[in-house]
């Protein structure tokens, strides 16, 4: 744990900020604000990440994921006064700031609002951005919590507005702590109240080359969609099976669509489908347009945690799967594998996806993955036919030559 002592604010508060660095591209913050009497007024512990879409000067939309916030500072965090409530203010990098405001009622306190700002003048983070400047998204959360209770939400929560998707999880917050003492009574978010199902993880040691693999149960097929102001903009139907290798231990996880939430966004050149559950912080599928007439799966990134508390995160933005013409869908009923990395693969079953040009909320004509097999078989079939013709010609030649030679002998 790293603690930061910050000089007093005008209200003569002393703020103690403690940062716990999370593992594997996640970021855990633990914040303890104390007043002038060194009594705790606000306690917060949480993890978060951000996905930002922006347009480049080439009129192509691209995606930036912000998850490593290890250089955060906290200028402006305060216990509040008689005119304003407590506030958490976080700055990270040279381009981002994040603020949460709290208010108090008679018997409750509220997470009143959350705002997030980013600066596209940062060419390192936003290369070739078309619009330069500071952009802010503001969400009037107005979430009420009983006074003297600590709010807990281990499940992932998502805020989506404009071009920004915010993910929060492992949240513990208590504002307006009484007499500097934190409560032991928890107020749970709705997701934690109902998220009692744990994703089944089958652990096996990595088999040797001569070991027979353990049979895998086929996952249930789920249907997912993304909407924007024009209606449905992305459709996906698929069974998903995650194959994870961590610390030389292989795990097979079947995604249960009945306990999986989904969100996403659509743009002219990119589209995002994001899945999450009580164990999966995010599983993102990013689609892109290529050559102005085809789409494909360009990127997959995942972050999830196991029952033992370990975190697994992988990202790859250089993929090339599920290629099909724009205006059509991609379909593959047979089992396919998307190899994200040596440690993470996704097996898909009964797949159909269309991330662009949805008409009336329905799939367009599908390009079947069997066409790829047909394209592979065509040259083989042609070669086999030519070989057969050549054999017939040679046989005819030898038979004719033999008859011709026999005729000379008789003469």
């Amino acid at each position: 744990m790293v603690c930061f002592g910050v000089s007093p604010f005008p209200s003569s508060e002393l703020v103690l900020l403690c940062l716990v660095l999370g593992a594997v591209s996640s970021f855990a913050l633990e914040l303890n604000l104390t007043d002038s009497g060194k009594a705790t007024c606000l306690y917060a512990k949480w993890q978060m990440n951000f996905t930002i879409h922006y347009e480049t000067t080439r009129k192509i939309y691209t995606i930036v994921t912000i998850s490593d916030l290890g250089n955060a500072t906290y200028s402006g965090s305060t216990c509040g006064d008689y005119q304003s409530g407590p506030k958490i203010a976080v700055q990270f990098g040279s381009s981002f700031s994040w603020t949460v405001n709290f208010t108090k009622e008679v018997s409750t306190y509220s997470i009143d609002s959350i705002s997030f700002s980013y600066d596209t003048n940062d060419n390192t983070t936003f290369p070739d951005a078309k619009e330069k400047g500071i952009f802010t998204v503001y969400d009037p959360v107005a979430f009420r919590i009983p006074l003297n209770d600590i709010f807990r939400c281990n499940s992932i929560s998502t805020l989506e507005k404009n071009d920004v998707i915010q993910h929060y999880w492992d949240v513990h917050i208590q504002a307006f702590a009484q007499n500097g003492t934190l409560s032991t009574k928890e107020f749970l978010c709705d997701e934690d109240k109902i998220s009692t199902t744990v994703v089944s993880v089958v652990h096996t040691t990595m088999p040797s080359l001569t070991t027979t693999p353990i049979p895998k149960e086929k996952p249930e097929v789920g249907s997912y969609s993304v909407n924007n102001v024009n209606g449905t903009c992305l459709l996906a139907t698929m069974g998903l099976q995650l194959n994870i290798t961590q610390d030389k231990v292989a795990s097979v996880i079947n995604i249960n669509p009945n306990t999986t939430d989904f969100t996403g966004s659509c743009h002219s050149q990119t589209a995002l489908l994001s899945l999450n559950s009580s164990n999966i912080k995010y599983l993102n599928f990013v689609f892109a347009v290529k050559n102005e007439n085809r789409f494909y799966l360009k990127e997959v990134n995942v972050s999830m945690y196991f029952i033992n508390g370990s975190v697994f995160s992988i990202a790859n933005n250089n993929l090339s799967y599920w290629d099909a013409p724009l205006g059509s869908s991609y379909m593959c009923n047979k089992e396919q594998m998307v190899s994200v990395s040596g440690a993470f693969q996704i097996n898909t079953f009964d797949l159909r996806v269309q991330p662009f040009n949805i008409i009336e909320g329905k799939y367009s004509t599908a390009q079947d993955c069997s066409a790829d097999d047909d394209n592979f078989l065509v040259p083989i079939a042609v070669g086999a036919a030519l070989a057969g013709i050549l054999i017939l010609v040679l046989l005819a030649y030898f038979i004719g030559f033999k008859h011709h030679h026999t005729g000379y002998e008789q003469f």
Side-chain angles (χ1 to χ4, degrees):
M1 180 179 295
V2 181
C3 296
F4 299 86
V6 182
S7 58
F9 289 97
S11 58
S12 297
E13 299 169 343
L14 179 64
V15 180
L16 180 64
L17 302 168
C18 298
L19 169 66
V20 180
L21 295 180
V24 195
S25 297
S26 64
F27 187 72
L29 286 169
E30 186 172 3
L31 167 66
N32 190 67
L33 289 177
T34 60
D35 59 21
S36 57
K38 296 185 178 181
T40 296
C41 66
L42 183 148
Y43 174 80
K45 182 179 181 180
W46 75 102
Q47 296 192 63
M48 61 184 179
N49 63 33
F50 308 88
T51 299
I52 304 168
H53 295 76
Y54 73 95
E55 186 179 6
T56 68
T57 56
R58 295 172 293 167
K59 297 182 179 181
I60 296 175
Y61 279 88
T62 188
I63 297 172
V64 173
T65 300
I66 310 299
S67 56
D68 184 3
L69 318 179
N71 57 351
T73 58
Y74 308 90
S75 176
S77 297
T78 174
C79 284
D81 51 30
Y82 292 104
Q83 294 182 342
S84 60
K87 178 173 69 174
I88 300 174
V90 183
Q91 305 84 37
F92 42 97
S94 59
S95 310
F96 308 98
S97 62
W98 181 80
T99 304
V100 182
N101 290 287
F102 299 86
T103 58
K104 180 181 177 182
E105 292 79 32
V106 176
S107 59
T108 62
Y109 67 95
S110 297
I111 302 174
D112 185 65
S113 63
I114 296 176
S115 62
F116 172 68
S117 297
Y118 58 99
D119 188 355
T120 56
N121 287 302
D122 182 353
N123 293 323
T124 301
T125 307
F126 302 98
D128 200 29
K130 178 180 178 180
E131 296 186 27
K132 300 291 187 178
I134 298 175
F135 298 86
T136 300
V137 291
Y138 174 85
D139 288 280
V141 181
F143 183 81
R144 293 187 176 183
I145 305 162
L147 203 61
N148 302 325
D149 281 11
I150 187 166
F151 171 66
R152 174 172 71 82
C153 192
N154 290 330
S155 301
I156 191 166
S157 300
T158 301
L159 294 177
E160 181 177 358
K161 194 168 185 178
N162 298 335
D163 294 322
V164 177
I165 301 174
Q166 306 177 52
H167 292 305
Y168 305 97
W169 65 96
D170 292 345
V171 177
H172 297 74
I173 292 178
Q174 184 177 355
F176 302 98
Q178 301 298 301
N179 301 318
T181 303
L182 296 178
S183 176
T184 57
K185 184 179 179 182
E186 292 184 332
F187 181 78
L188 304 182
C189 63
D190 291 339
E191 292 80 2
D192 277 17
K193 293 176 184 177
I194 62 176
S195 295
T196 57
T197 304
V198 178
V199 175
S200 58
V201 179
V202 180
H203 289 287
T204 62
T205 56
M206 285 296 291
S208 65
L209 295 178
T210 58
T211 303
T212 302
I214 297 176
K216 298 175 291 187
E217 181 182 353
K218 186 176 179 180
E220 183 176 349
V221 176
S223 296
Y224 312 98
S225 62
V226 176
N227 297 320
N228 60 14
V229 293
N230 297 319
T232 302
C233 58
L234 183 152
L235 290 171
T237 304
M238 51 190 171
L240 295 173
Q241 187 175 78
L242 311 184
N243 296 275
I244 299 169
T245 303
Q246 189 175 36
D247 299 328
K248 297 183 180 180
V249 176
S251 304
V252 178
I253 302 174
N254 285 345
I255 299 296
N256 182 355
N258 299 315
T259 58
T260 301
D261 296 322
F262 54 91
T263 184
S265 59
C266 300
H267 301 274
S268 61
Q269 297 291 318
T270 59
L272 168 69
L273 173 64
S274 181
L275 309 183
N276 65 81
S277 66
S278 59
N279 293 77
I280 299 175
K281 299 171 187 177
Y282 56 84
L283 173 57
N284 293 340
F285 297 88
V286 180
F287 301 88
V289 174
K290 68 177 181 179
N291 301 327
E292 302 299 328
N293 60 359
R294 301 187 70 86
F295 72 83
Y296 68 106
L297 178 65
K298 180 181 186 295
E299 177 180 349
V300 170
N301 51 77
V302 63
S303 183
M304 59 187 299
Y305 52 91
F306 298 118
I307 298 175
N308 63 5
S310 62
V311 179
F312 179 86
S313 295
I314 289 290
N316 188 336
N317 63 358
N318 194 31
L319 302 176
S320 185
Y321 292 96
W322 307 348
D323 187 303
L326 283 176
S328 68
S329 58
Y330 178 85
M331 183 172 68
C332 194
N333 290 325
K334 66 182 181 181
E335 180 179 354
Q336 272 194 323
M337 176 184 287
V338 174
S339 182
V340 181
S341 73
F344 181 59
Q345 300 84 37
I346 303 174
N347 288 350
T348 62
F349 301 80
D350 300 319
L351 168 71
R352 191 170 186 180
V353 62
Q354 185 173 345
F356 300 98
N357 300 353
I358 303 292
I359 299 176
E360 296 181 352
K362 298 178 181 179
Y363 283 111
S364 300
T365 303
Q367 174 169 306
D368 198 302
C369 62
S370 60
D372 298 334
D373 298 335
D374 294 341
N375 292 336
F376 176 73
L377 291 175
V378 165
I380 297 178
V382 171
L386 291 175
I389 293 172
L390 179 61
I391 291 172
L392 289 175
V393 170
L394 290 174
L395 286 174
Y397 172 78
F398 283 117
I399 292 173
F401 178 79
K402 183 177 181 181
H403 286 175
H404 184 69
H405 185 68
T406 303
Y408 271 112
E409 289 181 347
Q410 292 175 349
F411 179 78

Short mmCIF file of all heavy atoms in Angstrom, two decimals, residues 368-379:
data_model
loop_
_atom_site.label_atom_id
_atom_site.label_comp_id
_atom_site.label_asym_id
_atom_site.label_seq_id
_atom_site.Cartn_x
_atom_site.Cartn_y
_atom_site.Cartn_z
N ASP A 368 -21.60 -18.06 -44.82
CA ASP A 368 -21.31 -19.20 -43.97
C ASP A 368 -19.82 -19.51 -43.99
O ASP A 368 -19.18 -19.41 -45.04
CB ASP A 368 -22.11 -20.42 -44.45
CG ASP A 368 -22.20 -21.49 -43.37
OD1 ASP A 368 -21.14 -21.96 -42.92
OD2 ASP A 368 -23.33 -21.84 -42.98
N CYS A 369 -19.31 -19.91 -42.83
CA CYS A 369 -17.88 -20.24 -42.77
C CYS A 369 -17.55 -21.45 -43.62
O CYS A 369 -16.38 -21.66 -43.97
CB CYS A 369 -17.46 -20.48 -41.32
SG CYS A 369 -18.31 -21.88 -40.53
N SER A 370 -18.55 -22.26 -43.98
CA SER A 370 -18.29 -23.40 -44.85
C SER A 370 -17.82 -22.96 -46.22
O SER A 370 -17.18 -23.71 -46.95
CB SER A 370 -19.56 -24.26 -45.01
OG SER A 370 -20.61 -23.49 -45.59
N ALA A 371 -18.14 -21.69 -46.59
CA ALA A 371 -17.63 -21.16 -47.86
C ALA A 371 -16.11 -21.13 -47.87
O ALA A 371 -15.48 -21.31 -48.93
CB ALA A 371 -18.18 -19.76 -48.10
N ASP A 372 -15.52 -20.90 -46.70
CA ASP A 372 -14.06 -20.94 -46.62
C ASP A 372 -13.54 -22.32 -46.94
O ASP A 372 -12.53 -22.49 -47.64
CB ASP A 372 -13.59 -20.51 -45.22
CG ASP A 372 -14.02 -19.09 -44.90
OD1 ASP A 372 -14.21 -18.30 -45.84
OD2 ASP A 372 -14.15 -18.78 -43.70
N ASP A 373 -14.26 -23.35 -46.42
CA ASP A 373 -13.86 -24.72 -46.71
C ASP A 373 -14.03 -25.03 -48.20
O ASP A 373 -13.20 -25.68 -48.82
CB ASP A 373 -14.70 -25.70 -45.89
CG ASP A 373 -14.48 -25.51 -44.40
OD1 ASP A 373 -13.40 -25.01 -44.02
OD2 ASP A 373 -15.38 -25.85 -43.61
N ASP A 374 -15.15 -24.51 -48.78
CA ASP A 374 -15.39 -24.74 -50.20
C ASP A 374 -14.29 -24.11 -51.04
O ASP A 374 -13.81 -24.69 -52.01
CB ASP A 374 -16.75 -24.15 -50.60
CG ASP A 374 -17.91 -24.89 -49.92
OD1 ASP A 374 -17.69 -26.02 -49.47
OD2 ASP A 374 -19.02 -24.31 -49.85
N ASN A 375 -13.88 -22.87 -50.65
CA ASN A 375 -12.81 -22.20 -51.38
C ASN A 375 -11.52 -22.99 -51.31
O ASN A 375 -10.71 -22.97 -52.23
CB ASN A 375 -12.60 -20.79 -50.82
CG ASN A 375 -13.78 -19.90 -51.12
OD1 ASN A 375 -14.52 -20.13 -52.07
ND2 ASN A 375 -13.95 -18.87 -50.30
N PHE A 376 -11.33 -23.68 -50.20
CA PHE A 376 -10.13 -24.49 -50.04
C PHE A 376 -10.22 -25.77 -50.87
O PHE A 376 -9.22 -26.25 -51.42
CB PHE A 376 -9.94 -24.82 -48.56
CG PHE A 376 -8.78 -25.74 -48.28
CD1 PHE A 376 -7.47 -25.29 -48.39
CD2 PHE A 376 -8.99 -27.06 -47.94
CE1 PHE A 376 -6.40 -26.13 -48.14
CE2 PHE A 376 -7.92 -27.91 -47.69
CZ PHE A 376 -6.63 -27.44 -47.79
N LEU A 377 -11.46 -26.32 -50.98
CA LEU A 377 -11.63 -27.58 -51.68
C LEU A 377 -11.65 -27.43 -53.19
O LEU A 377 -11.33 -28.36 -53.92
CB LEU A 377 -12.94 -28.25 -51.22
CG LEU A 377 -12.97 -28.75 -49.77
CD1 LEU A 377 -14.36 -29.25 -49.44
CD2 LEU A 377 -11.95 -29.88 -49.58
N VAL A 378 -12.03 -26.25 -53.69
CA VAL A 378 -12.14 -26.05 -55.14
C VAL A 378 -10.84 -26.36 -55.87
O VAL A 378 -10.83 -27.15 -56.83
CB VAL A 378 -12.64 -24.62 -55.46
CG1 VAL A 378 -12.40 -24.29 -56.94
CG2 VAL A 378 -14.11 -24.50 -55.13
N PRO A 379 -9.71 -25.77 -55.46
CA PRO A 379 -8.47 -26.10 -56.19
C PRO A 379 -8.09 -27.57 -56.08
O PRO A 379 -7.51 -28.13 -57.01
CB PRO A 379 -7.42 -25.19 -55.54
CG PRO A 379 -8.01 -24.78 -54.25
CD PRO A 379 -9.48 -24.74 -54.43
#
